[in-house]
Amino acid sequence: MPGSGGRGKKAKLKEKMEAFQRTCREAGLKITPQRMAVYKVLIESKQHPSAEMVFRKVRDVIPNISLDTVNRTLLTLSEIGAASIVEGSGDVKRFDGKLETHQHFKCIKCRRIFDFHYKPFDNIAVPKNISRRFAVLRKTVYFEGVCDLCRKHAER
Ligand SMILES: [Zn+2]
Ligand SMILES: [Zn+2]
């Protein structure tokens, strides 16, 4: 039923916003309307948006916000673990508000980033020569290639 689905989504969003406020408090960060708005745009987007993309949307809610503020806010969110920076994004950082374990496929043509989840990738072994020297904090599997739509375009 579309109605109940919509309510479920809203409830989930509310839950995420509350979890975010807890994360902020634990990190000693003030909960500001800017931070709330940036976070909301980020988790509502499926695009792994850049700061610029988030900025364009946040302006609907907070018209006088600057790109610099949005950028700094996204970096802060990444620092406190409320978001992450997508690996291999190149010069323009792309952000991810999805906290569940997942992997990415990035299309090198249209630059879209797709989420997928393949369980065996969740527990990648760290080679001894790495674990002896470094403290590994994050391990990710990252795919790059050409997406289905871009492949279709190439065929034509
Ligand atoms: Zn593509
Ligand atoms: Zn993602």
Side-chain angles (χ1 to χ4, degrees):
M1 221 167 72
S4 64
R7 269 203 301 280
K9 219 175 164 189
K10 249 192 193 156
K12 226 180 159 188
L13 181 67
K14 194 166 168 261
E15 232 171 72
K16 282 185 175 174
M17 293 308 290
E18 282 164 5
F20 173 60
Q21 294 186 22
R22 274 198 301 277
T23 307
C24 282
R25 272 195 295 271
E26 278 161 24
L29 273 188
K30 256 203 231 142
I31 297 157
T32 62
Q34 281 94 334
R35 283 193 180 127
M36 295 287 281
V38 166
Y39 184 69
K40 188 160 176 279
V41 168
L42 180 67
I43 60 172
E44 282 186 317
S45 168
K46 289 213 180 342
Q47 319 227 292
H48 302 86
S50 64
E52 173 98 45
M53 288 155 88
V54 173
F55 170 63
R56 268 182 263 143
K57 284 226 152 161
V58 170
R59 265 195 314 191
D60 294 344
V61 194
I62 304 173
N64 60 355
I65 199 164
S66 72
L67 174 58
D68 187 53
T69 301
V70 171
N71 198 25
R72 273 187 288 121
T73 304
L74 286 167
L75 292 173
T76 304
L77 297 188
S78 311
E79 272 163 32
I80 65 169
S84 60
I85 298 169
V86 178
E87 59 280 5
S89 352
D91 293 338
V92 178
K93 285 192 185 70
R94 301 270 294 264
F95 296 89
D96 195 349
K98 182 172 169 159
L99 297 178
E100 297 89 356
T101 305
H102 67 286
Q103 291 86 31
H104 290 132
F105 173 94
K106 191 177 103 183
C107 176
I108 56 164
K109 291 206 183 283
C110 65
R111 312 236 148 228
R112 281 189 300 166
I113 296 163
F114 301 86
D115 288 333
F116 71 94
H117 186 211
Y118 181 58
K119 269 221 151 104
F121 288 165
D122 292 352
N123 290 300
I124 319 159
V126 179
K128 275 253 152 51
N129 58 339
I130 295 292
S131 61
R132 268 200 300 263
R133 291 180 61 193
F134 309 113
V136 177
L137 301 176
R138 201 162 95 96
K139 298 174 287 180
T140 55
V141 171
Y142 167 66
F143 288 173
E144 214 172 66
V146 181
C147 78
D148 46 357
L149 273 182
C150 289
R151 284 178 69 189
K152 253 188 222 149
H153 274 295
E155 277 164 26
R156 256 185 246 145

